[in-house]
Structures are given as structure tokens and as C-alpha cells.
Amino acid sequence: MSVIGQSVRRAALDRFAAGRGRYVGDIDLPGMATVAFARSPVAHAELLGVDTEAARAMPGVLAVITGDDIASFAPQPSLWNLPGQNHSGLKALATDRLRYVGQPFAAVVAVDRRTAEAAVHAIVPQYRALPVIADMDAALRSDVPRLYDHWSDNIVARPRWQAGDIAAAFDGAALVVSDRFTTQRVHPCSLEPRGVVVAPDLDGESITVWLSTQSIHQVRAGISECLGLPEHRIRVIAPDVGGSFGMKACIYGEEVILAFLTHRIGRPLRWIETRAEAFVASAHGRDERVDLAVAFDTDGRIRGLRSTIVLDKGADPYATSMGTAWITGAVMTGPYRIDTIDIEALAVVTNKTPTGAYRGFGQPEANFALERALDIAAPRLGLDPADLRRRNLVASSEMPYPTPTGIVLDSGRYADLLDATLERFGYDDARPVQPSSRLRTGVGIACYAETTNFGPSPLCKLIGVDSGGFDITSIRVEPSGHVRVFVGQTPMGQGVETALMQVAADELGLPVEDISIVHGDTVSSAYTAYASGGSRGAGVAGGSTALAARRLRERILRWGAHLLEAPLESVRFVQGGVEVIDVPTRRIGIAEVAMAAYKAFSTPEGMEPGLEDRAAYDPPALAIAYGCVVAEVAVDLDTGKVTVERIVFGHDCGVQINPAIVEGQVIGGLAQALGATLFEEVRYDADARPLTLSLQDYLLPLASDVPHVELVHFETPTPFSPIGAKGVGESGTIGVPAAITNAVQNALGTALPLVALPLTGERVLATLPSETKAPLSTVQRQAPSLG
């Protein structure tokens, strides 16, 4: 019986529930010292010097370094390097300038954390304040100073996509909808902040790095590049990872500094990020605006699309560089038939914490703009929002469908899923006629297409990604018959280890309990070119696992035929072993085959002792998951508070390896998206000083904020994976913001268009016509609300 499609219990749940998780902060090595970092208190200044004398003199302080001590380091590597892109050249510690609050400029090594933090407070930077670039509008002005003197402006890069006659498309349009749609800066806020433990090896030349990361091989390469230390001298281990959401995809300066210091002082070191540090030192997400114009025919067909995307990269573009804005541009046409486009994407630098990868990676930003524009257009065209979408969705018969940005919509039943989701919701009876009540209800929809199975390697090269897109899997049958699967993917809460166990078990005809996964160690794990990101674990690592298992199965088959003394063509692989086709009672189990293979008393011709194989899988193209979200909300016109009452979420991620994991990923992403839609925002003042420094300032959704969610499942296999699986890790984040906002707009009726997130009470009230707003005395009587 196949285990693909079964909700197999996740492998590590019992261990975590029993409190036996082992994170970086749990690692305690003999003689280990603590590292702390002195960070910039200002957004922009010339760094004139750093007074470390008092810190060096403190008892228990073992070392203090500044940017001068790492002059020989290479700059921080960038994962994404588009043609013509600007690079900062910054190193792990600031040298000439301080460019954002939180940028490290010195590091202290001490016998314990208290001493290290006291020493950091004793370090005094001398600096001269410089003009601040506080936001993307300032960065784009020609009269502001450049953040980097070797750049001609403050723009990282500006890729562009053009197709068709855009002028003719707009000149002949019956309707043009245009607006500016803004997605705010957010914090990934993983349960476990970042952390690093580094120790020198006995040979004195190598180091071992324990790290909370989703990218063990990429971090190893980054440390190697910065320090000039060969990669084989660096071992990176990811123990249990308490969440990431993209934030832990890149290398950070703290990892480089600890690797350098452990070499220098010859003892193990640890740095564990505090939550306050995380708000200024770890990469933020989103912070993007989309100027969008969409041209329509009288029947609602989309004639053309014009867009300018601007991404605030913060002070340093190294963390995934231009990637988020590039993806926004690449997926701007969504699941729709839009052949004529003019799309430009820009990333700019400002005096803020750098932005990087965050769950969805540019796709929620594109979806929010396009799906809001469709809802704005629908009543002006005299169409229901669902009907407008249905008229423009790419049909199954047109697939694979190349979009004008180069994305190929591989497979799917877009309109069928829309209809099934609307039917489950009861959409035809649900869009309310607004009463005179002060509590309004509304219904909104959004469709989305999600890029998953990130690769292939030639595409990575084409778009400037500094790595390939393949995964390798090695599989070994132990003499006992137990199977070990060596993968490059890193579990970080998404359950990828269980899914890969199921793939191997299915291919080898074994119970899942007979499979174990080896991961998270550059010495023992298989190699992944792009790490755990891009919703690629199931499709790409699952593909390499399936291919490796199929090769291993052929090896088992040959051993079985030899041991059964039967011609190869007369035997077949069956669940748990090999049997003679015409005499099923002549059968040998995998454990017996394995034992014989390791003893090798008699070896099949052309075979070697042992029982293992490997395979690499480089996807031929992206796989496109897709879905539809229908949301119902209630809006209090006196306070602006939005309550999400119900969501029906239709999705298709191809073959579902483990439906329970798929459900968890969709609903988990939905909860994150709900927080970003209604509550979350990292705020700065006019001088680029952060105002969000703790969880007291950053409102996360509570369990009570997440509504009842109903899922509608379709399964349309992708032709671009050996197992037909598409990714699902980011699906929940993409369509939810637009669906909720469309529902709020539906509830408010004739209010001004909602075009910016989050939908705080103040922002909702600001869109209401004056005659709809409650008298001030009424508002003052309302209880305070987190909404």
C-alpha cells in the first residue's frame, strides 16, 4: 500500500512535545566563552573611531575586536546578483560608516554573557552624524546623498519585463484601474531567534559551526569566502531549528565573526540573539510598494498591465539582494491571461535594517496589488469579482502556459478550483447588502499562483542567483535492512523530513518506520545547491529522493535475482523485497538482501559489495501551485476593528505527500498572513530610528484571531517533478491579505480604496466617508482594541 497521500505522523513530534528538542542555545561545550556585539545607536554617521580601552580592561574579557581587525576579510557574499547590480562591499563589522541602528561595529569575547554585555556597554563609538535616507521616496530623490560613494545613486538594480504594445493596450481600453499598493515592513519573528556556536577542531585548522539556519551549505560557502578558509575546513551543523520563514536563509556577520574569533583565541564561542537584537539585527521582510495600472476591455478581459515596483532593501542589499522585487515582477500577472506588460522593479537602499527573504518572497506583494485592482475594477465594469477573475484565468487546455515574464504555468484547473471554493463558501448567497448597522460584514476573494520547486540551475544562472537549483539524495540500506536517507534539506518546523521518509518508503515498499533521515550536517548530509527555501523541499528533494530510491531498487532487484538464483527478467520488486514472478513463494526480503550485500560472499556480476545509491535532481522548470481564498469579515465602523469570521481556502499543490502537513502549512501560512494584514508592522521615525523594539511594540495574531478555516483540495500533478509534487510552504501567505482587504472593502461599500497594509483601525476609519464616521464622543466610549 502506498504511503504517499497518507497523513503519517511527523517524526519529531513526540520528541518536541516531551521537551527533548536540542537547539543552538542548548549546546554547551567545555571552556566555551560568550560573544556580544556593540551595535550602532544611530541610523547614519561617519565612524571616526571606537574606544575599546575600558572594555578590554574589564575582568573576564578575553578579546575585543573592531572593523580594523577584519580588514582582510572579503565582503559579505550576496546570494542574488543580477546583471548591473550594485554591491555594498560591507564586511561583518562596520568600518568607515554606521548605516543603520543595530549594525555591529565591535565584538567582545568574555567568560560569560553578563560580562560580555557589560563590556559592550563600555565601548564608545566616536562618530559624526550624516544625513539620513529614511524611506524609499528619499532614496529615489536625486538630491539626497548616496549611501555608498561608489554607487551613482541609491538603486541596487532595476530589472524590467516588456511584452506586446503596451501603449495600444491602454489607449484602446474601456477601463483603466491604477493605484499605489503598499505592503509594510514586517519581522519574521521566529520562535527561536538566531544563534551561533563555533568551536576549533583538534587539528587547529578547522572549525565546527552549530547554527540556527536553513542553509547549511550556503553558510559554509559564505564563511569560506569571507575568511579565506577552504570549505572542507568548515563543518556546519543545524540542530533543531525553531522556525525561520526565510530570515535564516542567508549568512550574517555574526557567524563570520565567531568563526574568526574561535580561530584567534582557540576556544569554543557562543552568541545567542536576544529578542531585542532580533528586531534590529535580523533581516526584515516585505517593505515594498507596487504602482499598478491594469487596462480592461468592456467585457472585463485584461488588455495590458503596467507596474513599477520599489523595494526598500534597508542599508545593505546582501541578504537575497534584489530577489524579492524580482519575484514580485516575475509573478505580477498571477494566474491570469495577461500578454501585454511593462513591469519595472527597483530596489533601493535606506538607513534601516536590511530586508531579506520572508515567507512568500515577493509573491504576496504582487498578489495584493493585482487582486485589489481586480476588485476595484469589477463594479466599474458591472461584473461580480468572481466573474471578472473567471474570464481571465488561464485555462487548463492552454497549459503549459508561458507568461510574458518568463514563468511557465505548468498545470492546473484554475477556474474549477475557483468555482469549487466559492461553492463550499456559499458565495452566491454570501455577499451582503450593507445594512445601516455600525457592524458591517463583507466577503472578499483572491486567486493566486505560487512559484515552487525553485530551480533549475540554468535559470538560477540567468537571473543571477549565485548557486544551482538541484538537490542530491543518497540512500543506504544498513545490514539490518533499515534505510538511511541522506538529504540536504533542513527541517525547521515544516515537516520535510517526514515527507521525504514517505517518498523513500513508497519507492522501496517499506514501512515509514524502517526509514530514517540524516540531515543538517555538511559532513554527513547530502548536498543541496539552494538549501531549504523557495517551497522546494517536497518537489526537488522529493524528486532526488525518489530517483535515488528507484536506482537503489534496481540494485536490490539484481541482488535478489542473484540470491534467488533466478534470471533478472524473471523477478520483480514487491513490497519489502524481491520475488520470482511465476513462483511468488520464492521470495527474499530487503533485510536478507542487505545482509548478503554487506557480507559479499557471493556478488552478482558487475555489482559491488554494500547496498546504497544516490541521485541528483535539477528541476526542468518551476512548478506553479495555485489557489483561491474566500474570506468573510466583520468591520466595526466605530473603531475600525476588523474581525475575520471565516475563510475557505482552495489550493492545489500537485500530489500531496502528507495531507496533514499540507494542511498545517496552509493554515500556518494563513495565520502569518492574517497577522501581516491586520496587526504587524515594523515602524521607524522620520530619522530612521526604529520604534518597534520588542513584542510589546509588535502585535502578533493570537489563536483567537485565526478564524475557522475550511480547505478545498485539488491535486493536479506537475510534469516538472518525478513525483508530481509542488510546494506548499508559502501558499497560505499569498492570497490572504488581498482576500481580507477585499472583504473589508466590500463591508465598507463606498469608502476610499484600501491600498495599504496593515488594516489598522485608524487606517480603516480614514477611508470612511465623513457621514459614515461615528461622532468623537461615541468612539471615545469604545474599549481599547488590539485591532
Side-chain angles (χ1 to χ4, degrees), residues 470-677:
F470 63 89
D471 261 38
I472 296 173
T473 298
S474 296
I475 306 181
R476 182 172 71 222
V477 184
E478 302 289 1
S480 64
H482 186 82
V483 175
R484 294 192 191 278
V485 182
F486 300 82
V487 301
Q489 293 295 304
T490 299
M492 47 196 172
Q494 80 279 48
V496 67
E497 71 278 29
T498 303
L500 296 179
M501 289 166 64
Q502 289 180 247
V503 172
D506 193 71
E507 294 288 345
L508 296 173
L510 292 171
V512 174
E513 294 76 19
D514 287 351
I515 312 289
S516 59
I517 298 288
V518 179
H519 61 80
D521 188 335
T522 55
V523 168
S524 59
S525 300
Y527 187 79
T528 172
Y530 193 76
S532 298
S535 290
R536 62 193 306 277
V540 180
S544 61
T545 299
L547 294 178
R550 290 169 192 176
R551 291 181 180 178
L552 182 61
R553 193 169 64 197
E554 291 303 312
R555 192 177 293 272
I556 294 170
L557 194 65
R558 291 182 64 185
W559 271 98
H562 176 73
L563 295 172
L564 290 169
E565 299 180 341
L568 181 61
E569 61 273 12
S570 69
V571 300
R572 63 186 173 194
F573 192 92
V574 295
Q575 188 168 349
V578 178
E579 70 181 23
V580 178
I581 296 173
D582 295 331
V583 191
T585 54
R586 291 185 61 197
R587 189 176 189 279
I588 188 168
I590 288 180
E592 296 173 85
V593 172
M595 184 61 69
Y598 282 101
K599 290 190 174 182
F601 295 153
S602 176
T603 306
E605 184 178 352
M607 298 288 288
E608 299 174 346
L611 202 57
E612 56 187 299
D613 220 317
R614 68 176 291 282
Y617 180 65
D618 201 347
L622 296 168
I624 308 301
Y626 65 97
C628 174
V629 184
V630 188
E632 180 178 355
V633 303
V635 183
D636 188 325
L637 297 188
D638 291 331
T639 64
K641 178 179 173 59
V642 175
T643 302
V644 181
E645 303 282 357
R646 181 188 175 208
I647 288 180
V648 175
F649 197 119
H651 74 100
D652 186 339
C653 60
V655 172
Q656 295 188 51
I657 300 172
N658 186 312
I661 291 178
V662 169
E663 181 175 343
Q665 286 292 288
V666 171
I667 295 178
L670 181 153
Q672 274 190 299
L674 187 147
T677 305

Side-chain angles (χ1 to χ4, degrees), residues 109-401:
V109 184
V111 293
D112 56 39
R113 184 165 188 156
R114 178 176 295 180
T115 303
E117 291 177 348
V120 161
H121 290 302
I123 296 174
V124 180
Q126 289 94 37
Y127 57 85
R128 180 178 63 85
L130 294 173
V132 169
I133 303 173
D135 55 42
M136 60 182 73
D137 284 319
L140 289 169
R141 292 206 313 266
S142 59
D143 60 339
V144 298
R146 289 164 294 167
L147 201 56
Y148 295 98
D149 292 336
H150 61 286
W151 294 18
S152 60
D153 51 31
N154 289 308
I155 297 174
V156 180
R158 52 194 318 160
R160 192 169 187 174
W161 299 261
Q162 293 177 299
D165 189 339
I166 194 70
F170 276 80
D171 289 344
L175 172 69
V176 173
V177 169
S178 64
D179 217 318
R180 171 169 289 177
F181 302 92
T182 303
T183 307
Q184 80 282 25
R185 178 175 287 240
V186 296
H187 188 353
C189 212
S190 57
L191 283 174
E192 179 202 21
R194 291 187 295 124
V196 192
V197 169
V198 186
D201 290 351
L202 294 177
D203 62 11
E205 297 182 1
S206 304
I207 59 173
T208 299
V209 182
W210 290 265
L211 182 67
S212 185
T213 183
Q214 60 196 83
S215 308
I216 55 173
H217 296 96
Q218 289 64 38
V219 169
R220 181 182 67 178
I223 293 174
S224 172
E225 183 174 336
C226 289
L227 300 185
L229 190 65
E231 285 194 47
H232 70 274
R233 296 284 187 191
I234 305 165
R235 179 184 186 184
V236 177
I237 300 172
D240 291 327
V241 178
S244 176
F245 310 124
M247 178 187 72
K248 299 173 183 175
C250 61
I251 185 173
Y252 287 85
E254 291 88 353
E255 295 141 26
V256 175
I257 293 302
L258 264 76
F260 166 70
L261 286 170
T262 199
H263 244 309
R264 180 166 173 169
I265 68 174
R267 64 190 291 177
L269 303 175
R270 172 166 58 194
W271 170 73
I272 304 297
E273 185 179 56
T274 66
R275 185 63 70 183
E277 276 185 299
F279 274 102
V280 296
S282 291
H284 295 159
R286 310 285 190 250
D287 206 352
E288 192 172 283
R289 78 178 185 210
V290 177
D291 290 335
L292 179 66
V294 184
F296 298 87
D297 275 333
T298 54
D299 63 355
R301 310 283 178 179
I302 299 174
R303 294 174 54 88
L305 180 152
R306 183 188 290 125
S307 180
T308 300
I309 301 151
V310 183
L311 167 68
D312 188 337
K313 276 302 301 176
D316 190 349
Y318 82 94
T320 66
S321 182
M322 181 76 196
T324 301
W326 189 94
I327 289 290
T328 301
V331 303
M332 185 57 72
T333 57
Y336 302 108
R337 193 184 303 100
I338 306 175
D339 297 325
T340 303
I341 60 165
D342 185 356
I343 301 170
E344 184 178 37
L346 296 83
V348 297
V349 287
T350 63
N351 290 117
K352 298 177 183 177
T353 296
T355 54
Y358 178 55
R359 197 173 189 178
F361 198 56
Q363 297 176 98
E365 296 92 314
N367 187 266
F368 179 69
L370 181 58
E371 293 295 315
R372 284 295 296 124
L374 292 176
D375 249 46
I376 293 169
R380 299 181 188 180
L381 291 165
L383 295 172
D384 182 87
D387 189 29
L388 177 59
R389 289 166 171 82
R390 193 178 292 109
R391 295 181 184 204
N392 288 285
L393 287 169
V394 173
S396 301
S397 59
E398 299 174 278
M399 296 180 183
Y401 178 86

Side-chain angles (χ1 to χ4, degrees), residues 413-479:
R413 295 180 289 149
Y414 294 179
D416 290 346
L417 181 59
L418 169 63
D419 291 341
T421 307
L422 295 175
E423 183 178 359
R424 174 73 66 86
F425 188 87
Y427 178 80
D428 289 341
D429 301 321
R431 285 181 69 82
V433 176
Q434 298 304 332
S436 59
S437 167
R438 304 299 294 175
L439 186 67
R440 300 283 183 87
T441 59
V443 173
I445 64 176
C447 297
Y448 71 88
E450 176 194 0
T451 60
T452 77
N453 295 2
F454 191 83
S457 297
L459 173 64
C460 292
K461 178 177 175 59
L462 180 67
I463 63 178
V465 175
D466 193 27
S467 69
F470 63 89
D471 261 38
I472 296 173
T473 298
S474 296
I475 306 181
R476 182 172 71 222
V477 184
E478 302 289 1

Side-chain angles (χ1 to χ4, degrees), residues 58-140:
M58 294 178 66
V61 171
L62 304 176
V64 179
I65 65 168
T66 66
D68 293 339
D69 296 288
I70 63 167
S72 63
F73 284 20
Q76 300 265 97
S78 176
L79 174 65
W80 205 301
N81 299 284
L82 288 169
Q85 176 179 316
N86 284 314
H87 295 87
S88 70
L90 293 188
K91 299 182 180 182
L93 295 176
T95 52
D96 60 331
R97 278 202 231 176
L98 302 171
R99 288 181 168 87
Y100 64 95
V101 174
Q103 183 179 11
F105 63 86
V108 172
V109 184
V111 293
D112 56 39
R113 184 165 188 156
R114 178 176 295 180
T115 303
E117 291 177 348
V120 161
H121 290 302
I123 296 174
V124 180
Q126 289 94 37
Y127 57 85
R128 180 178 63 85
L130 294 173
V132 169
I133 303 173
D135 55 42
M136 60 182 73
D137 284 319
L140 289 169

